[in-house]
Structures are given as C-alpha cells and as structure tokens.
Amino acid sequence: MTVERRHITGFSNPTVKALRALREKKHRKAAGRFLAEGLRLLTDARECGHVPEVLVLADRREPHPLLAALEASVAAAGGEIIETTPDILAKITGKDNPQAVAGVFAEFGTALEAIERETAEIWLVAQALRDPGNLGTMLRTGDAIGAGGLILIDDCADPFSVEAVRASMGAIFTQRIAQARWDEFEPWLRGAPAQLVAASLRDAQPYRGAPYAAPCFVMVGNESRGLPEPYEMACDLRVTMPMKGRADSLNAAVAAAVLGYEVLANLEG
Amino acid sequence: MTVERRHITGFSNPTVKALRALREKKHRKAAGRFLAEGLRLLTDARECGHVPEVLVLADRREPHPLLAALEASVAAAGGEIIETTPDILAKITGKDNPQAVAGVFAEFGTALEAIERETAEIWLVAQALRDPGNLGTMLRTGDAIGAGGLILIDDCADPFSVEAVRASMGAIFTQRIAQARWDEFEPWLRGAPAQLVAASLRDAQPYRGAPYAAPCFVMVGNESRGLPEPYEMACDLRVTMPMKGRADSLNAAVAAAVLGYEVLANLEG
C-alpha cells in the first residue's frame, strides 16, 4: 500500500501552527484533539485501538517495523501523514530532543457515567491536582496496579496536556478518565457499593493492612492544600502513612502510589 | 534590630542577573550557590541550621512572623537582604506566581565519605536520573521514610537545581546528598555492612515482605533505560513489584517510594 504523505518544511506553515497550538488547553478544547509523542507510546495507543488522526514524522528518522505498522494503521483509517524536520517536530512537541514521531488524537469522553466501577477493584481519584506531571504519573501508576481509571474532581490540570500524556507513558490510552465536580461525584459514588479512602492526618488508622474493600477509590488532594476537610470526612476510611521527617506530606502522585500498592496487596492478600 | 535592605527595581541590575544565573547549572557550580524559594522552605532551612547568604523579598508582601524571624537570622549571620518587585522575583525564580521570598544558599559538600551509613536504616540511591523533579521527589520521600539521604550515581540531574529544590519541599536541607561514580560507590558500599536493593525484572522475588536488612540502600535507575544489568547483578536483593497493565515500569520516584515504604514497614515490623 502506498501511503500519501505531505512534506512540511516551513515553521510558519498553518498546519504546524495548528499542531503547536495543541500544547495550549484552550486550543485543545476547541479542537477536541490532543498530542502524544514517541513510537512506543503511539504503538501502545494503536494496540489499545487508538489510531492518530494525524501522524507527524521526522524526515531523517531510522526505519522501524513498529513505525511502518503505525503508518499503515493511520493510512487504513483515512488519517493524514506529515513529514517534517526534526526542528519543526521539536517546536510542535516543545521538547528539545523530540522523539521521531508524534500523533494527534481525538480527546476521549470524560463523563462520570462512563465509569463502570465493577470492572476494576481500584480506582484513583485526584482532587484539584494542578501539576499535569502528577496526573500523568497517577495514570501510569493506575495502569501498574490494575486500576480502572482516574477520576478528576474539581479543578484539575488537563490530563490531555503534553506533559500529562508524556508522564502517563501510554496509560492515557489504557485508563478510563472522568472529570466531575465533588457534588456530582459524591452522589454518583454513593449510588452503588464503593469504599472511598484518603490519606489523612485526621482520625486516621495506619495505612498498612487497613480494611480496604473493592471497589476501592483512592483519593489524593491538591499539591499545596491537600483535601478539603469535608471531602476527608466523607471518606469511608482515612489512613495515615508514616512521616518520619520534618515534612507532613508526600508528593501527591507518590502518596497515590504508596496507598494504591497497599490496597492492591491487601485486596489480593 | 534595624536590618539594612537594598531595594532593586531594575531588571538589568547586576545582582538580579547574578541571581537569575543561578538557575543554570554552570553558574551554580561556578558560584557554589543555589536558590530556594518560599517561606515554608526557607523556614525549614533555617530550623535545620541553613541560613541564606542573600534573602530576596517581594516589596508588596504580607507581613508574617516567620518572615521576620528569617530576616533576623540573615541579618545576624551578616547576610544581605534585598527587596524587589514581584516581577523581578518571578524572573529570578522562573515561576509565574513566585512566592514572596527566595534565598541564596551555599551548596553543601557531596562527598561519599560524608555518608555515615549507621545513622539511618534506609538510604536512597538514584542512578543516572535525569529529571530534577524526580530527584527532589526522592529527597522528599526520603525525609518521610526516615532515610539518611540520597546518593546520586553516575550522571544525574543537579539536586541543587531550582526544580529539584522545589520538589524536595525542604528535604534538600534535611537529607544528606552524595554524588559518586559507580566504581567509587560499589567499593565504598562493600567496605562495611550494607544491603543493596533494586526493583528488577531479572531473577527477582516479590517486593512485599522480602528479606530487607538495615542499612538498606534502595536503588532506582534512569527514567528511560533503568539500571545497567551489571548494577542489578551487584545487588544483594532484586525485587519485583506487580505490574498489572501494559506498562513494565513505574515512574522512578514512585518506584523508590513504594519500595522505600515497603522496606520501612518490614524493618519496623
């Protein structure tokens, strides 16, 4: 099959501008599209059924069978293939040493109703997390612990940002993602069996071996302020992790991972 | 006590330029100085005996008793206090919404010989970690699990970078930091009792409840390549964490934390 390609060499080309614009949230939301980069990540996406609508390739790349497979999938799905210089690719992805390939994907739906809680024993919940790297890392951890997905409560960073997608290492394509306000999430959560768990300093029991129960929703709060007190009080289980030093909290993605792995070990134990 | 202050309002002021330059590694190394920001972090530093040589304050800040205490410490130590605009402070720290205060500190020594392994049961080891945020997060986790410090093997990011210091949330001042090549580290490690542990897919046992022993050195490898095989083979214990999804690895700082908390629970158990 011969795949038609468009070759772009100008920084001011309108397609390059449109692709670069996807690094900004407002343009992503307007276009309903997001960027992902790297052969491995795009291959993960393809194997999960997500084929990019536009594939952007560096014109002086090494040949690779996975890249050929990717090109064939894009062509078969009627997508567009663009070749460009490594410099322009760097400008599109905002990375000094870009990978040789990037793709444009349609954003997924993020309705809470699409979360089927019975499909997984663990779900991660992020409340007002502002760092896209933390969101991506939580997605990656969720994949590792067999979580069903990540539910974003209140005003979180955009999980479709380049930084979040990059940090997710492909888990953006394997984890379900939902966005909701607390006053939507709580009634939904209580509409069926669920255990809501948070790390807390208030009235908490040791996290190690606590009575976790599936489906277990592991919630972490904002990087600076933590969880609002009413949210903590709404939890079925508040647990505390040892803090032996001066600090009184962990990085949010680290807290989710330590707690998530503990839940996994207990549910499997 | 009246504290003398210098007021700077020009972006091109040489002091502003010198402070901004500390965001670059070569200038930090040339000056032997690094930047830290935020009242909480600087207060942690002060309480750990680290008083900034230069304190930079935003000129339209809210008064705060901890800030007054900080100013008094700097003045008592013969340091310099500079007031400037929030815009210039943002330019110095490279952050859009800067905290109202930043400080310049002398870099600490990072000789391996300064690590007294018997002072802690856990030490973290990072090999060729390239992301300063990951290094800072490991320092923060180390503080939480009561680790003695972080040993940087081979070519790691700079732990004194603004990003690493920020992510450490003050642990840069509480954790010992050493830098060494592997061929320096290994003989040093074997010169006294120590257990070297790494997460591995090779010939590994489950991480949960593995026979950890103090002083336990928990090592994680480069973000893309992981640990070199000879380094893994040099470990006393190789452990594996469940990976239930498509990914075959965790974020490096997450892996260090999950493993570090497991070691802590087992040594304390």
Short mmCIF file of all heavy atoms in Angstrom, two decimals, chain A residues 177-199:
data_model
loop_
_atom_site.label_atom_id
_atom_site.label_comp_id
_atom_site.label_asym_id
_atom_site.label_seq_id
_atom_site.Cartn_x
_atom_site.Cartn_y
_atom_site.Cartn_z
N ILE A 177 -10.82 7.85 32.08
CA ILE A 177 -10.64 9.16 32.69
C ILE A 177 -12.00 9.84 32.79
O ILE A 177 -12.74 9.89 31.80
CB ILE A 177 -9.68 10.04 31.86
CG1 ILE A 177 -8.30 9.37 31.80
CG2 ILE A 177 -9.57 11.44 32.45
CD1 ILE A 177 -7.35 10.02 30.83
N ALA A 178 -12.33 10.32 33.98
CA ALA A 178 -13.59 11.05 34.15
C ALA A 178 -13.31 12.36 34.87
O ALA A 178 -12.37 12.45 35.66
CB ALA A 178 -14.59 10.21 34.94
N GLN A 179 -14.10 13.35 34.57
CA GLN A 179 -13.97 14.65 35.22
C GLN A 179 -15.33 15.03 35.81
O GLN A 179 -16.34 14.91 35.13
CB GLN A 179 -13.52 15.72 34.21
CG GLN A 179 -12.11 15.41 33.69
CD GLN A 179 -11.59 16.46 32.71
OE1 GLN A 179 -12.08 16.58 31.61
NE2 GLN A 179 -10.58 17.20 33.13
N ALA A 180 -15.31 15.47 37.06
CA ALA A 180 -16.58 15.80 37.72
C ALA A 180 -16.33 16.76 38.87
O ALA A 180 -15.23 16.84 39.40
CB ALA A 180 -17.24 14.53 38.26
N ARG A 181 -17.37 17.48 39.23
CA ARG A 181 -17.31 18.27 40.45
C ARG A 181 -17.65 17.36 41.63
O ARG A 181 -18.30 16.33 41.46
CB ARG A 181 -18.27 19.46 40.38
CG ARG A 181 -18.11 20.27 39.09
CD ARG A 181 -18.00 21.76 39.31
NE ARG A 181 -17.11 22.14 40.37
CZ ARG A 181 -15.89 22.70 40.17
NH1 ARG A 181 -15.43 22.93 38.97
NH2 ARG A 181 -15.15 23.03 41.20
N TRP A 182 -17.19 17.76 42.81
CA TRP A 182 -17.43 16.94 44.01
C TRP A 182 -18.92 16.66 44.20
O TRP A 182 -19.31 15.54 44.54
CB TRP A 182 -16.84 17.64 45.24
CG TRP A 182 -17.15 16.94 46.52
CD1 TRP A 182 -18.08 17.31 47.45
CD2 TRP A 182 -16.54 15.74 47.01
NE1 TRP A 182 -18.08 16.42 48.49
CE2 TRP A 182 -17.14 15.43 48.25
CE3 TRP A 182 -15.55 14.88 46.53
CZ2 TRP A 182 -16.78 14.33 49.02
CZ3 TRP A 182 -15.19 13.78 47.29
CH2 TRP A 182 -15.80 13.51 48.52
N ASP A 183 -19.75 17.68 43.95
CA ASP A 183 -21.19 17.49 44.21
C ASP A 183 -21.86 16.64 43.12
O ASP A 183 -23.03 16.29 43.26
CB ASP A 183 -21.91 18.82 44.44
CG ASP A 183 -21.75 19.78 43.29
OD1 ASP A 183 -21.27 19.35 42.23
OD2 ASP A 183 -22.08 20.97 43.46
N GLU A 184 -21.13 16.31 42.07
CA GLU A 184 -21.60 15.28 41.14
C GLU A 184 -21.02 13.91 41.52
O GLU A 184 -21.69 12.88 41.44
CB GLU A 184 -21.13 15.59 39.70
CG GLU A 184 -21.61 16.91 39.13
CD GLU A 184 -20.78 17.37 37.94
OE1 GLU A 184 -19.68 16.82 37.69
OE2 GLU A 184 -21.23 18.30 37.25
N PHE A 185 -19.74 13.95 41.94
CA PHE A 185 -19.03 12.71 42.22
C PHE A 185 -19.63 11.98 43.42
O PHE A 185 -19.85 10.76 43.38
CB PHE A 185 -17.54 13.01 42.47
CG PHE A 185 -16.75 11.83 42.98
CD1 PHE A 185 -16.47 10.75 42.13
CD2 PHE A 185 -16.29 11.79 44.29
CE1 PHE A 185 -15.74 9.65 42.60
CE2 PHE A 185 -15.55 10.71 44.76
CZ PHE A 185 -15.28 9.64 43.91
N GLU A 186 -19.90 12.74 44.50
CA GLU A 186 -20.32 12.07 45.73
C GLU A 186 -21.64 11.31 45.57
O GLU A 186 -21.72 10.13 45.95
CB GLU A 186 -20.39 13.07 46.89
CG GLU A 186 -20.24 12.36 48.23
CD GLU A 186 -20.52 13.27 49.42
OE1 GLU A 186 -20.93 14.44 49.22
OE2 GLU A 186 -20.36 12.78 50.56
N PRO A 187 -22.69 11.94 44.98
CA PRO A 187 -23.93 11.16 44.77
C PRO A 187 -23.72 9.95 43.85
O PRO A 187 -24.28 8.88 44.08
CB PRO A 187 -24.89 12.17 44.12
CG PRO A 187 -24.29 13.51 44.33
CD PRO A 187 -22.84 13.34 44.58
N TRP A 188 -22.91 10.14 42.82
CA TRP A 188 -22.61 9.02 41.92
C TRP A 188 -21.95 7.88 42.69
O TRP A 188 -22.33 6.71 42.57
CB TRP A 188 -21.71 9.50 40.77
CG TRP A 188 -21.21 8.37 39.91
CD1 TRP A 188 -21.87 7.80 38.85
CD2 TRP A 188 -19.99 7.64 40.05
NE1 TRP A 188 -21.13 6.77 38.32
CE2 TRP A 188 -19.96 6.64 39.04
CE3 TRP A 188 -18.91 7.72 40.94
CZ2 TRP A 188 -18.91 5.75 38.89
CZ3 TRP A 188 -17.86 6.84 40.79
CH2 TRP A 188 -17.86 5.86 39.77
N LEU A 189 -20.95 8.25 43.51
CA LEU A 189 -20.20 7.24 44.27
C LEU A 189 -21.14 6.46 45.19
O LEU A 189 -21.04 5.24 45.31
CB LEU A 189 -19.11 7.92 45.11
CG LEU A 189 -18.18 6.98 45.86
CD1 LEU A 189 -17.13 6.40 44.90
CD2 LEU A 189 -17.49 7.68 47.04
N ARG A 190 -22.06 7.18 45.83
CA ARG A 190 -22.94 6.56 46.83
C ARG A 190 -24.13 5.85 46.19
O ARG A 190 -24.93 5.23 46.91
CB ARG A 190 -23.42 7.60 47.83
CG ARG A 190 -22.29 8.24 48.64
CD ARG A 190 -21.40 7.21 49.29
NE ARG A 190 -20.25 7.80 50.00
CZ ARG A 190 -19.19 7.09 50.38
NH1 ARG A 190 -19.09 5.80 50.12
NH2 ARG A 190 -18.19 7.68 51.02
N GLY A 191 -24.21 5.92 44.88
CA GLY A 191 -25.31 5.24 44.19
C GLY A 191 -25.10 3.74 44.05
O GLY A 191 -25.98 3.03 43.55
N ALA A 192 -23.95 3.26 44.46
CA ALA A 192 -23.64 1.83 44.37
C ALA A 192 -22.52 1.55 45.37
O ALA A 192 -21.90 2.48 45.87
CB ALA A 192 -23.21 1.48 42.95
N PRO A 193 -22.23 0.26 45.67
CA PRO A 193 -21.18 -0.01 46.65
C PRO A 193 -19.84 0.58 46.22
O PRO A 193 -19.47 0.52 45.03
CB PRO A 193 -21.11 -1.55 46.67
CG PRO A 193 -22.47 -1.99 46.25
CD PRO A 193 -22.91 -0.97 45.23
N ALA A 194 -19.15 1.16 47.18
CA ALA A 194 -17.84 1.76 46.93
C ALA A 194 -17.21 2.11 48.27
O ALA A 194 -17.93 2.41 49.23
CB ALA A 194 -17.97 3.03 46.10
N GLN A 195 -15.90 2.04 48.33
CA GLN A 195 -15.18 2.50 49.52
C GLN A 195 -14.29 3.67 49.11
O GLN A 195 -13.44 3.52 48.23
CB GLN A 195 -14.33 1.37 50.11
CG GLN A 195 -13.60 1.79 51.38
CD GLN A 195 -12.58 0.76 51.84
OE1 GLN A 195 -11.72 0.36 51.08
NE2 GLN A 195 -12.68 0.34 53.10
N LEU A 196 -14.48 4.82 49.76
CA LEU A 196 -13.66 5.99 49.45
C LEU A 196 -12.58 6.11 50.53
O LEU A 196 -12.88 6.17 51.72
CB LEU A 196 -14.53 7.26 49.41
CG LEU A 196 -13.84 8.55 48.97
CD1 LEU A 196 -13.26 8.44 47.57
CD2 LEU A 196 -14.82 9.73 49.05
N VAL A 197 -11.33 6.13 50.09
CA VAL A 197 -10.18 6.11 51.00
C VAL A 197 -9.29 7.33 50.72
O VAL A 197 -9.04 7.67 49.57
CB VAL A 197 -9.33 4.84 50.79
CG1 VAL A 197 -8.12 4.84 51.70
CG2 VAL A 197 -10.17 3.59 51.01
N ALA A 198 -8.82 7.95 51.79
CA ALA A 198 -7.87 9.04 51.61
C ALA A 198 -6.78 8.97 52.67
O ALA A 198 -7.02 8.53 53.79
CB ALA A 198 -8.58 10.39 51.70
N ALA A 199 -5.61 9.43 52.30
CA ALA A 199 -4.55 9.63 53.28
C ALA A 199 -4.89 10.90 54.05
O ALA A 199 -5.26 11.90 53.47
CB ALA A 199 -3.21 9.78 52.59
#
